[in-house]
Amino acid sequence: MRNILRNLLSILGVLSVFRTADSSNQSSGIKPIWNATWTDNLKRDLFMNYDKFARPSEYYNTTNIDIGLTLIHLDVDEMKSTMTMYGWIKFKWNDPKLRWNASDYGGLATIHVADHEIWQPDVVLYNSASGNSIDHYGNTHSILSSNGEVLWVPPVQYTVLCELELKHWPLDEHVCRIVIGSWTYDGNKINLNVYEGEGIILENYVYNHKWDIVETSVKRNEKIYVCCPEPYVDLSFNITISRRSPMYKAIVVTPVTVIILLTLATFWLPSNAGEKILLNGIVAVTICVHLTFLHTLIPAMTYSTPYVVFFLNSCLYLVGFSMVIAVIVLSLSRNKYAYTMPWAIKSSLDGRFGKLLGLHFLQVQPNVQQRSEELREPPFDENNTPDDRHMIHPVSKSSNQQDWILLATAIDRVAFFIYCLIYVMLAITYCV
């Protein structure tokens, strides 16, 4: 019996020794015998009582989060007034509950943890254009350091509402803002800062064929709402973009210039040329076709109509008035008038005003049809009075008709200068 008790006591002593050694090995950080790694032991110890839904700091302390943005590509949807940004976003904060002594775990100073294993700030996009979807980030791992510092760099896709001002299209510039902040915590709980003053990084940017990035900036904002006395912090990443306009200049500026030149050219055609009507009609059709083409390029916005549309609209009105002027000029040049031109008008055309318009350089010749009609008419007019029955008086209509042709030419010249002035005013108003 004594031998049996002695054996039992010896067995218990050996077991107690093994337990003491095992506990001492774990407390001293000695690598265990089985196949667990230092990372396994560290994660088991860190996350044994860890709550990933609780903010790591005390309720009266502030968690500081540094945020940086790397821009890879952007796309602008003018029809929807949105901008989609593709890139990476960098988060860095400190979690005091995830600190350890590296020497206790074989010198292990950093580990990689999944995004669902640790607490992450609820930083979302405030001006999102994707509706209820707030999952902007990819499921990537975080780097956890022994001092509790967490670095998380997930890929990001932000689709934001962007107010597009198209008045200066195609030479327009726009400022699109990416505003991010905590959805539930105020600034006393989560404080947002720019990551090491970097702002927006463009080193890996893939250029858009349609838009150029002119300027980028970051602004930290603190807002106090009516409901709550606490300040709410957000970061506004501002991106200024401009349209690449060489192609648009070719399809907008060149046709507009040709339209102006053709409209002005109608006033330098001969006053009795019927091509005035034809040329004005061609210009009017060209403007209508060009407006229809621009409608396919520019979204219809009632509050932001491009100046080029207003300019072409004004040109269409001017072509309509030019058509009316052409009809009046043709009527004056081709019709026959039984009465002479008023003396006041004729003296102006023959005087300084006519010289200013260059009418003294003109030598008006009647056209062939007018000459043939004059040849068929009797060259003499008989007086039916009894006393002068045998007397005849020559009547000349060519000089009278020449005066009316000069008046028609003067109208064309005056209209040309008026149109030049109007086009200059329109260019200053809509293009400068």
Side-chain angles (χ1 to χ4, degrees):
M1 190 67 180
R2 290 180 179 178
N3 293 330
I4 295 174
L5 292 175
R6 189 177 300 168
N7 293 331
L8 289 174
L9 290 175
S10 61
I11 292 172
L12 291 175
V14 172
L15 291 176
S16 64
V17 170
F18 278 114
R19 289 179 180 176
T20 305
D22 186 30
S23 61
S24 62
N25 289 340
Q26 290 182 0
S27 61
S28 61
I30 299 175
K31 187 176 179 180
I33 300 175
W34 63 300
N35 60 352
T37 62
W38 292 112
T39 303
D40 295 328
N41 294 331
L42 175 59
K43 292 185 68 175
R44 183 180 65 249
D45 295 341
L46 286 178
F47 300 123
M48 181 176 299
N49 296 315
Y50 183 81
D51 186 2
K52 64 179 181 180
F53 298 105
R55 191 169 63 90
S57 301
E58 292 288 352
Y59 71 93
Y60 47 79
N61 291 333
T62 303
T63 302
N64 294 304
I65 301 176
D66 298 333
I67 300 178
L69 190 64
T70 300
L71 185 60
I72 303 298
H73 188 67
L74 60 84
D75 187 23
V76 179
D77 190 339
E78 299 177 58
M79 297 296 177
K80 297 181 180 179
S81 296
T82 60
M83 182 192 73
T84 301
M85 171 263 175
Y86 305 90
W88 309 326
I89 189 167
K90 186 183 299 182
F91 295 99
K92 187 176 74 171
W93 68 92
N94 193 279
D95 193 335
K97 297 190 295 184
L98 296 179
R99 295 176 181 174
W100 71 92
N101 188 359
S103 61
D104 295 339
Y105 296 92
L108 182 61
T110 60
I111 60 174
H112 295 77
V113 294
D115 58 342
H116 62 275
E117 293 183 300
I118 62 174
W119 176 88
Q120 292 178 334
D122 60 339
V123 176
V124 297
L125 181 63
Y126 283 175
N127 57 337
S128 175
S130 57
N132 297 327
S133 176
I134 59 174
D135 189 12
H136 314 292
Y137 316 112
N139 297 324
T140 57
H141 284 56
S142 303
I143 300 176
L144 178 60
S145 302
S146 58
N147 59 355
E149 184 178 280
V150 181
L151 179 62
W152 185 36
V153 188
V156 64
Q157 177 179 335
Y158 285 146
T159 301
V160 299
L161 298 172
C162 186
E163 184 177 354
L164 301 179
E165 183 63 48
L166 299 178
K167 289 184 178 180
H168 298 282
W169 187 94
L171 305 176
D172 49 337
E173 289 188 0
H174 312 284
V175 179
C176 296
R177 295 177 175 84
I178 300 174
V179 184
I180 60 176
S182 175
W183 192 253
T184 57
Y185 292 101
D186 57 73
N188 296 327
K189 301 296 187 298
I190 290 183
N191 181 35
L192 303 181
N193 298 298
V194 181
Y195 186 87
E196 298 180 357
E198 290 180 352
I200 301 178
I201 300 176
L202 301 176
E203 292 180 357
N204 301 315
Y205 179 70
V206 178
Y207 286 93
N208 191 295
H209 71 281
K210 191 175 181 180
W211 299 94
D212 283 327
I213 296 179
V214 178
E215 184 183 3
T216 60
S217 63
V218 184
K219 184 179 180 182
R220 181 181 180 275
N221 305 307
E222 288 189 8
K223 296 182 181 179
I224 298 179
Y225 298 94
V226 179
C227 65
C228 314
E230 301 86 2
Y232 284 83
V233 181
D234 65 74
L235 294 180
S236 176
F237 295 87
N238 306 320
I239 303 175
T240 303
I241 57 176
S242 65
R243 191 186 305 271
R244 292 190 173 186
S245 57
M247 181 187 70
Y248 291 96
K249 288 180 180 178
I251 64 177
V252 174
V253 177
T254 303
V256 170
T257 304
V258 173
I259 287 170
I260 294 174
L261 294 177
L262 291 179
T263 305
L264 296 176
T266 58
F267 299 114
W268 287 96
L269 289 174
S271 57
N272 57 355
E275 289 80 5
K276 289 176 174 289
I277 305 294
L278 179 61
L279 186 56
N280 281 313
I282 293 174
V283 173
V285 172
T286 303
I287 295 176
C288 294
V289 172
H290 197 56
L291 285 173
T292 305
F293 171 69
L294 291 181
H295 177 68
T296 62
L297 299 177
I298 309 172
M301 296 183 179
T302 56
Y303 61 90
S304 182
T305 304
Y307 288 138
V308 64
V309 176
F310 287 119
F311 188 85
L312 287 174
N313 190 33
S314 302
C315 289
L316 189 58
Y317 279 112
L318 291 175
V319 171
F321 289 120
S322 176
M323 184 78 75
V324 174
I325 295 174
V327 171
I328 295 174
V329 168
L330 286 174
S331 177
L332 291 175
S333 301
R334 294 187 176 185
N335 292 339
K336 296 181 179 180
Y337 296 92
Y339 54 90
T340 59
M341 183 181 297
W343 178 83
I345 299 177
K346 183 176 176 54
S347 61
S348 299
L349 297 178
D350 294 337
R352 182 178 300 176
F353 180 71
K355 292 182 179 180
L356 184 63
L357 296 178
L359 299 180
H360 61 287
F361 294 108
L362 299 178
Q363 183 178 2
V364 182
Q365 297 291 339
N367 54 29
V368 177
Q369 181 180 2
Q370 180 181 347
R371 287 184 176 181
S372 61
E373 291 178 355
E374 289 180 356
L375 291 175
R376 289 196 297 267
E377 292 179 355
F380 297 99
D381 186 16
E382 296 184 358
N383 195 347
N384 296 326
T385 57
D387 298 333
D388 299 331
R389 183 174 298 175
H390 301 286
M391 298 180 60
I392 55 176
H393 303 277
V395 178
S396 177
K397 295 183 179 180
S398 60
S399 60
N400 188 22
Q401 186 65 21
Q402 291 177 4
D403 293 337
W404 292 107
I405 293 176
L406 286 177
L407 176 61
T409 305
I411 294 175
D412 269 341
R413 300 289 173 84
V414 172
F416 172 80
F417 290 112
I418 293 176
Y419 268 55
C420 288
L421 180 61
I422 293 175
Y423 279 129
V424 170
M425 296 175 61
L426 290 176
I428 294 175
T429 303
Y430 294 129
C431 301
V432 179

